[in-house]
mmCIF file of all heavy atoms in Angstrom:
data_model
loop_
_atom_site.group_PDB
_atom_site.id
_atom_site.type_symbol
_atom_site.label_atom_id
_atom_site.label_comp_id
_atom_site.label_asym_id
_atom_site.label_seq_id
_atom_site.Cartn_x
_atom_site.Cartn_y
_atom_site.Cartn_z
ATOM 1 N N ILE I 116 0.837 -1.201 0.000
ATOM 2 C CA ILE I 116 0.000 0.000 0.000
ATOM 3 C C ILE I 116 0.873 1.252 0.000
ATOM 4 O O ILE I 116 0.506 2.283 -0.567
ATOM 5 C CB ILE I 116 -0.935 -0.013 1.226
ATOM 6 C CG1 ILE I 116 -1.855 -1.229 1.155
ATOM 7 C CG2 ILE I 116 -1.759 1.261 1.311
ATOM 8 C CD1 ILE I 116 -2.748 -1.406 2.363
ATOM 9 N N GLY I 117 2.047 1.158 0.624
ATOM 10 C CA GLY I 117 2.927 2.323 0.703
ATOM 11 C C GLY I 117 3.427 2.797 -0.647
ATOM 12 O O GLY I 117 3.703 3.990 -0.833
ATOM 13 N N GLU I 118 3.573 1.888 -1.597
ATOM 14 C CA GLU I 118 4.019 2.296 -2.927
ATOM 15 C C GLU I 118 3.032 3.277 -3.557
ATOM 16 O O GLU I 118 3.418 4.241 -4.212
ATOM 17 C CB GLU I 118 4.164 1.055 -3.817
ATOM 18 C CG GLU I 118 5.309 0.136 -3.415
ATOM 19 C CD GLU I 118 6.661 0.798 -3.562
ATOM 20 O OE1 GLU I 118 6.815 1.656 -4.457
ATOM 21 O OE2 GLU I 118 7.567 0.471 -2.777
ATOM 22 N N ARG I 119 1.750 3.026 -3.347
ATOM 23 C CA ARG I 119 0.734 3.946 -3.867
ATOM 24 C C ARG I 119 0.676 5.218 -3.027
ATOM 25 O O ARG I 119 0.508 6.316 -3.556
ATOM 26 C CB ARG I 119 -0.642 3.268 -3.887
ATOM 27 C CG ARG I 119 -1.760 4.201 -4.330
ATOM 28 C CD ARG I 119 -3.051 3.460 -4.563
ATOM 29 N NE ARG I 119 -4.147 4.376 -4.877
ATOM 30 C CZ ARG I 119 -4.334 4.952 -6.042
ATOM 31 N NH1 ARG I 119 -3.486 4.722 -7.033
ATOM 32 N NH2 ARG I 119 -5.352 5.768 -6.234
ATOM 33 N N ALA I 120 0.817 5.073 -1.713
ATOM 34 C CA ALA I 120 0.771 6.250 -0.831
ATOM 35 C C ALA I 120 1.896 7.218 -1.134
ATOM 36 O O ALA I 120 1.720 8.445 -1.033
ATOM 37 C CB ALA I 120 0.852 5.793 0.625
ATOM 38 N N ASP I 121 3.048 6.705 -1.521
ATOM 39 C CA ASP I 121 4.186 7.559 -1.844
ATOM 40 C C ASP I 121 3.856 8.512 -2.986
ATOM 41 O O ASP I 121 4.062 9.736 -2.891
ATOM 42 C CB ASP I 121 5.386 6.675 -2.206
ATOM 43 C CG ASP I 121 6.616 7.502 -2.558
ATOM 44 O OD1 ASP I 121 6.701 8.647 -2.088
ATOM 45 O OD2 ASP I 121 7.471 6.994 -3.308
ATOM 46 N N GLY I 122 3.312 7.973 -4.068
ATOM 47 C CA GLY I 122 3.022 8.805 -5.238
ATOM 48 C C GLY I 122 1.974 9.862 -4.973
ATOM 49 O O GLY I 122 2.158 11.037 -5.326
ATOM 50 N N ILE I 123 0.873 9.490 -4.337
ATOM 51 C CA ILE I 123 -0.199 10.469 -4.133
ATOM 52 C C ILE I 123 0.191 11.493 -3.066
ATOM 53 O O ILE I 123 -0.264 12.641 -3.117
ATOM 54 C CB ILE I 123 -1.525 9.776 -3.762
ATOM 55 C CG1 ILE I 123 -1.411 9.018 -2.442
ATOM 56 C CG2 ILE I 123 -1.955 8.828 -4.848
ATOM 57 C CD1 ILE I 123 -2.715 8.443 -1.975
ATOM 58 N N THR I 124 1.024 11.121 -2.099
ATOM 59 C CA THR I 124 1.475 12.096 -1.101
ATOM 60 C C THR I 124 2.378 13.137 -1.735
ATOM 61 O O THR I 124 2.280 14.332 -1.420
ATOM 62 C CB THR I 124 2.206 11.385 0.049
ATOM 63 O OG1 THR I 124 1.338 10.419 0.644
ATOM 64 C CG2 THR I 124 2.634 12.376 1.109
ATOM 65 N N LYS I 125 3.258 12.712 -2.629
ATOM 66 C CA LYS I 125 4.117 13.677 -3.324
ATOM 67 C C LYS I 125 3.286 14.620 -4.191
ATOM 68 O O LYS I 125 3.556 15.829 -4.243
ATOM 69 C CB LYS I 125 5.139 12.930 -4.182
ATOM 70 C CG LYS I 125 6.243 12.252 -3.380
ATOM 71 C CD LYS I 125 7.239 11.564 -4.285
ATOM 72 C CE LYS I 125 8.360 10.941 -3.474
ATOM 73 N NZ LYS I 125 9.350 10.231 -4.327
ATOM 74 N N ARG I 126 2.271 14.085 -4.874
ATOM 75 C CA ARG I 126 1.416 14.950 -5.692
ATOM 76 C C ARG I 126 0.644 15.934 -4.821
ATOM 77 O O ARG I 126 0.472 17.102 -5.194
ATOM 78 C CB ARG I 126 0.458 14.092 -6.524
ATOM 79 C CG ARG I 126 1.128 13.329 -7.657
ATOM 80 C CD ARG I 126 0.108 12.825 -8.664
ATOM 81 N NE ARG I 126 -0.800 11.852 -8.059
ATOM 82 C CZ ARG I 126 -0.558 10.546 -8.037
ATOM 83 N NH1 ARG I 126 0.561 10.054 -8.556
ATOM 84 N NH2 ARG I 126 -1.435 9.712 -7.491
ATOM 85 N N GLN I 127 0.180 15.455 -3.671
ATOM 86 C CA GLN I 127 -0.555 16.355 -2.777
ATOM 87 C C GLN I 127 0.345 17.466 -2.256
ATOM 88 O O GLN I 127 -0.062 18.622 -2.141
ATOM 89 C CB GLN I 127 -1.131 15.555 -1.608
ATOM 90 C CG GLN I 127 -2.078 16.362 -0.726
ATOM 91 C CD GLN I 127 -1.672 16.326 0.730
ATOM 92 O OE1 GLN I 127 -0.559 15.927 1.055
ATOM 93 N NE2 GLN I 127 -2.550 16.761 1.600
ATOM 94 N N TRP I 128 1.586 17.147 -1.926
ATOM 95 C CA TRP I 128 2.519 18.160 -1.418
ATOM 96 C C TRP I 128 2.850 19.178 -2.506
ATOM 97 O O TRP I 128 2.907 20.384 -2.236
ATOM 98 C CB TRP I 128 3.789 17.480 -0.909
ATOM 99 C CG TRP I 128 4.816 18.468 -0.430
ATOM 100 C CD1 TRP I 128 5.951 18.860 -1.071
ATOM 101 C CD2 TRP I 128 4.766 19.204 0.786
ATOM 102 N NE1 TRP I 128 6.616 19.793 -0.339
ATOM 103 C CE2 TRP I 128 5.921 20.023 0.813
ATOM 104 C CE3 TRP I 128 3.872 19.247 1.850
ATOM 105 C CZ2 TRP I 128 6.199 20.878 1.879
ATOM 106 C CZ3 TRP I 128 4.155 20.102 2.903
ATOM 107 C CH2 TRP I 128 5.302 20.902 2.912
ATOM 108 N N ARG I 129 3.052 18.710 -3.730
ATOM 109 C CA ARG I 129 3.327 19.649 -4.820
ATOM 110 C C ARG I 129 2.117 20.555 -5.064
ATOM 111 O O ARG I 129 2.278 21.754 -5.332
ATOM 112 C CB ARG I 129 3.688 18.877 -6.095
ATOM 113 C CG ARG I 129 5.068 18.238 -6.073
ATOM 114 C CD ARG I 129 5.488 17.814 -7.475
ATOM 115 N NE ARG I 129 4.608 16.791 -8.005
ATOM 116 C CZ ARG I 129 4.851 15.487 -7.910
ATOM 117 N NH1 ARG I 129 5.943 15.059 -7.278
ATOM 118 N NH2 ARG I 129 4.016 14.602 -8.416
ATOM 119 N N THR I 130 0.919 20.007 -4.977
ATOM 120 C CA THR I 130 -0.286 20.817 -5.160
ATOM 121 C C THR I 130 -0.399 21.874 -4.071
ATOM 122 O O THR I 130 -0.751 23.030 -4.340
ATOM 123 C CB THR I 130 -1.536 19.922 -5.147
ATOM 124 O OG1 THR I 130 -1.410 18.927 -6.164
ATOM 125 C CG2 THR I 130 -2.789 20.737 -5.409
ATOM 126 N N LEU I 131 -0.105 21.500 -2.826
ATOM 127 C CA LEU I 131 -0.146 22.460 -1.732
ATOM 128 C C LEU I 131 0.877 23.567 -1.939
ATOM 129 O O LEU I 131 0.583 24.757 -1.707
ATOM 130 C CB LEU I 131 0.115 21.742 -0.405
ATOM 131 C CG LEU I 131 0.205 22.630 0.847
ATOM 132 C CD1 LEU I 131 -1.098 23.388 1.065
ATOM 133 C CD2 LEU I 131 0.562 21.803 2.077
ATOM 134 N N SER I 132 2.075 23.215 -2.382
ATOM 135 C CA SER I 132 3.102 24.226 -2.625
ATOM 136 C C SER I 132 2.686 25.182 -3.736
ATOM 137 O O SER I 132 2.858 26.398 -3.625
ATOM 138 C CB SER I 132 4.428 23.535 -2.985
ATOM 139 O OG SER I 132 4.883 22.725 -1.920
ATOM 140 N N ARG I 133 2.130 24.622 -4.825
ATOM 141 C CA ARG I 133 1.685 25.486 -5.920
ATOM 142 C C ARG I 133 0.533 26.388 -5.482
ATOM 143 O O ARG I 133 0.473 27.565 -5.867
ATOM 144 C CB ARG I 133 1.255 24.624 -7.121
ATOM 145 C CG ARG I 133 2.414 24.008 -7.880
ATOM 146 C CD ARG I 133 1.968 23.545 -9.254
ATOM 147 N NE ARG I 133 0.941 22.520 -9.161
ATOM 148 C CZ ARG I 133 1.185 21.214 -9.157
ATOM 149 N NH1 ARG I 133 2.433 20.787 -9.249
ATOM 150 N NH2 ARG I 133 0.195 20.336 -9.076
ATOM 151 N N MET I 134 -0.383 25.850 -4.687
ATOM 152 C CA MET I 134 -1.507 26.649 -4.223
ATOM 153 C C MET I 134 -1.025 27.792 -3.335
ATOM 154 O O MET I 134 -1.485 28.933 -3.464
ATOM 155 C CB MET I 134 -2.495 25.774 -3.448
ATOM 156 C CG MET I 134 -3.744 26.509 -2.993
ATOM 157 S SD MET I 134 -4.930 25.436 -2.147
ATOM 158 C CE MET I 134 -4.015 25.099 -0.636
ATOM 159 N N SER I 135 -0.084 27.504 -2.425
ATOM 160 C CA SER I 135 0.460 28.549 -1.560
ATOM 161 C C SER I 135 1.170 29.621 -2.373
ATOM 162 O O SER I 135 1.000 30.818 -2.126
ATOM 163 C CB SER I 135 1.427 27.929 -0.538
ATOM 164 O OG SER I 135 0.787 26.940 0.235
ATOM 165 N N ALA I 136 1.965 29.171 -3.341
ATOM 166 C CA ALA I 136 2.692 30.129 -4.173
ATOM 167 C C ALA I 136 1.744 30.991 -4.990
ATOM 168 O O ALA I 136 1.909 32.217 -5.082
ATOM 169 C CB ALA I 136 3.659 29.379 -5.089
ATOM 170 N N HIS I 137 0.728 30.378 -5.605
ATOM 171 C CA HIS I 137 -0.206 31.132 -6.445
ATOM 172 C C HIS I 137 -1.011 32.124 -5.613
ATOM 173 O O HIS I 137 -1.228 33.271 -6.030
ATOM 174 C CB HIS I 137 -1.147 30.168 -7.163
ATOM 175 C CG HIS I 137 -2.127 30.861 -8.063
ATOM 176 N ND1 HIS I 137 -1.764 31.373 -9.286
ATOM 177 C CD2 HIS I 137 -3.439 31.149 -7.901
ATOM 178 C CE1 HIS I 137 -2.826 31.938 -9.850
ATOM 179 N NE2 HIS I 137 -3.859 31.814 -9.018
ATOM 180 N N PHE I 138 -1.448 31.697 -4.427
ATOM 181 C CA PHE I 138 -2.262 32.576 -3.592
ATOM 182 C C PHE I 138 -1.466 33.807 -3.170
ATOM 183 O O PHE I 138 -1.979 34.932 -3.197
ATOM 184 C CB PHE I 138 -2.750 31.814 -2.359
ATOM 185 C CG PHE I 138 -3.699 32.590 -1.509
ATOM 186 C CD1 PHE I 138 -4.980 32.884 -1.950
ATOM 187 C CD2 PHE I 138 -3.319 33.037 -0.248
ATOM 188 C CE1 PHE I 138 -5.869 33.610 -1.170
ATOM 189 C CE2 PHE I 138 -4.199 33.754 0.540
ATOM 190 C CZ PHE I 138 -5.471 34.040 0.081
ATOM 191 N N LEU I 139 -0.208 33.618 -2.785
ATOM 192 C CA LEU I 139 0.617 34.759 -2.388
ATOM 193 C C LEU I 139 0.915 35.658 -3.586
ATOM 194 O O LEU I 139 0.925 36.891 -3.462
ATOM 195 C CB LEU I 139 1.916 34.275 -1.750
ATOM 196 C CG LEU I 139 2.825 35.380 -1.190
ATOM 197 C CD1 LEU I 139 2.095 36.207 -0.142
ATOM 198 C CD2 LEU I 139 4.097 34.780 -0.597
ATOM 199 N N ASP I 140 1.149 35.049 -4.740
ATOM 200 C CA ASP I 140 1.381 35.847 -5.944
ATOM 201 C C ASP I 140 0.175 36.722 -6.263
ATOM 202 O O ASP I 140 0.313 37.887 -6.657
ATOM 203 C CB ASP I 140 1.688 34.931 -7.134
ATOM 204 C CG ASP I 140 3.057 34.285 -7.023
ATOM 205 O OD1 ASP I 140 3.862 34.761 -6.199
ATOM 206 O OD2 ASP I 140 3.303 33.301 -7.742
ATOM 207 N N VAL I 141 -1.023 36.167 -6.093
ATOM 208 C CA VAL I 141 -2.240 36.943 -6.354
ATOM 209 C C VAL I 141 -2.360 38.096 -5.370
ATOM 210 O O VAL I 141 -2.704 39.227 -5.753
ATOM 211 C CB VAL I 141 -3.474 36.023 -6.276
ATOM 212 C CG1 VAL I 141 -4.764 36.850 -6.301
ATOM 213 C CG2 VAL I 141 -3.474 35.036 -7.431
ATOM 214 N N LEU I 142 -2.061 37.842 -4.096
ATOM 215 C CA LEU I 142 -2.133 38.914 -3.103
ATOM 216 C C LEU I 142 -1.124 40.016 -3.396
ATOM 217 O O LEU I 142 -1.436 41.209 -3.299
ATOM 218 C CB LEU I 142 -1.885 38.345 -1.700
ATOM 219 C CG LEU I 142 -2.983 37.469 -1.102
ATOM 220 C CD1 LEU I 142 -2.593 36.978 0.287
ATOM 221 C CD2 LEU I 142 -4.300 38.230 -1.016
ATOM 222 N N GLN I 143 0.091 39.617 -3.772
ATOM 223 C CA GLN I 143 1.114 40.617 -4.058
ATOM 224 C C GLN I 143 0.800 41.403 -5.329
ATOM 225 O O GLN I 143 1.146 42.577 -5.437
ATOM 226 C CB GLN I 143 2.486 39.938 -4.180
ATOM 227 C CG GLN I 143 3.005 39.380 -2.857
ATOM 228 C CD GLN I 143 4.303 38.603 -3.028
ATOM 229 O OE1 GLN I 143 4.609 38.112 -4.120
ATOM 230 N NE2 GLN I 143 5.073 38.494 -1.959
ATOM 231 N N GLY I 144 0.147 40.754 -6.281
ATOM 232 C CA GLY I 144 -0.166 41.430 -7.539
ATOM 233 C C GLY I 144 -1.566 41.980 -7.616
ATOM 234 O O GLY I 144 -2.030 42.361 -8.700
ATOM 235 N N LEU I 145 -2.270 42.023 -6.460
ATOM 236 C CA LEU I 145 -3.657 42.470 -6.459
ATOM 237 C C LEU I 145 -3.827 43.909 -6.963
ATOM 238 O O LEU I 145 -4.778 44.185 -7.719
ATOM 239 C CB LEU I 145 -4.244 42.322 -5.053
ATOM 240 C CG LEU I 145 -5.773 42.394 -4.944
ATOM 241 C CD1 LEU I 145 -6.420 41.336 -5.839
ATOM 242 C CD2 LEU I 145 -6.213 42.205 -3.496
ATOM 243 N N PRO I 146 -2.956 44.853 -6.591
ATOM 244 C CA PRO I 146 -3.120 46.208 -7.144
ATOM 245 C C PRO I 146 -3.052 46.232 -8.678
ATOM 246 O O PRO I 146 -3.844 46.920 -9.331
ATOM 247 C CB PRO I 146 -1.952 46.992 -6.519
ATOM 248 C CG PRO I 146 -1.665 46.259 -5.247
ATOM 249 C CD PRO I 146 -1.895 44.823 -5.557
ATOM 250 N N THR I 147 -2.122 45.461 -9.246
ATOM 251 C CA THR I 147 -2.009 45.415 -10.706
ATOM 252 C C THR I 147 -3.236 44.763 -11.338
ATOM 253 O O THR I 147 -3.746 45.223 -12.369
ATOM 254 C CB THR I 147 -0.741 44.638 -11.108
ATOM 255 O OG1 THR I 147 0.394 45.241 -10.481
ATOM 256 C CG2 THR I 147 -0.551 44.653 -12.610
ATOM 257 N N LEU I 148 -3.719 43.668 -10.707
ATOM 258 C CA LEU I 148 -4.916 43.001 -11.219
ATOM 259 C C LEU I 148 -6.121 43.934 -11.151
ATOM 260 O O LEU I 148 -6.958 43.960 -12.068
ATOM 261 C CB LEU I 148 -5.190 41.729 -10.423
ATOM 262 C CG LEU I 148 -4.166 40.590 -10.577
ATOM 263 C CD1 LEU I 148 -4.446 39.472 -9.580
ATOM 264 C CD2 LEU I 148 -4.191 40.038 -11.995
ATOM 265 N N LYS I 149 -6.240 44.696 -10.074
ATOM 266 C CA LYS I 149 -7.328 45.669 -9.959
ATOM 267 C C LYS I 149 -7.231 46.735 -11.034
ATOM 268 O O LYS I 149 -8.229 47.158 -11.629
ATOM 269 C CB LYS I 149 -7.285 46.322 -8.576
ATOM 270 C CG LYS I 149 -7.921 45.508 -7.463
ATOM 271 C CD LYS I 149 -9.442 45.596 -7.549
ATOM 272 C CE LYS I 149 -10.099 44.946 -6.347
ATOM 273 N NZ LYS I 149 -11.577 44.990 -6.451
ATOM 274 N N LEU I 150 -6.003 47.164 -11.288
ATOM 275 C CA LEU I 150 -5.784 48.225 -12.268
ATOM 276 C C LEU I 150 -6.252 47.798 -13.655
ATOM 277 O O LEU I 150 -6.826 48.594 -14.405
ATOM 278 C CB LEU I 150 -4.291 48.596 -12.292
ATOM 279 C CG LEU I 150 -3.889 49.755 -13.198
ATOM 280 C CD1 LEU I 150 -4.557 51.052 -12.737
ATOM 281 C CD2 LEU I 150 -2.381 49.904 -13.216
ATOM 282 N N PHE I 151 -6.024 46.537 -14.003
ATOM 283 C CA PHE I 151 -6.410 46.044 -15.324
ATOM 284 C C PHE I 151 -7.743 45.295 -15.310
ATOM 285 O O PHE I 151 -8.109 44.675 -16.315
ATOM 286 C CB PHE I 151 -5.315 45.115 -15.871
ATOM 287 C CG PHE I 151 -4.065 45.845 -16.262
ATOM 288 C CD1 PHE I 151 -2.990 45.929 -15.397
ATOM 289 C CD2 PHE I 151 -3.971 46.469 -17.498
ATOM 290 C CE1 PHE I 151 -1.834 46.603 -15.746
ATOM 291 C CE2 PHE I 151 -2.812 47.143 -17.860
ATOM 292 C CZ PHE I 151 -1.742 47.222 -16.990
#
C-alpha cells in the first residue's frame, strides 16, 4: 500500500506548494490586477 501512498502524497505536497505560491502571488499582484 505504501508504494501507492508515496506517489499520491508527493502529488498532494506539490499541489499544496503550488496553491500557496499562487495565492501569495495573487495577493502581491492584487493592485495590478485591480488596475487592469
Side-chain angles (χ1 to χ4, degrees):
I116 299 176
E118 291 296 329
R119 176 170 175 77
D121 180 25
I123 63 174
T124 302
K125 287 182 178 179
R126 289 196 296 271
Q127 188 234 14
W128 177 256
R129 287 195 297 266
T130 303
L131 176 60
S132 298
R133 286 197 298 267
M134 183 177 69
S135 302
H137 181 76
F138 186 69
L139 184 58
D140 289 345
V141 170
L142 289 180
Q143 291 175 337
L145 195 57
T147 304
L148 293 172
K149 279 284 188 182
L150 184 63
F151 289 97

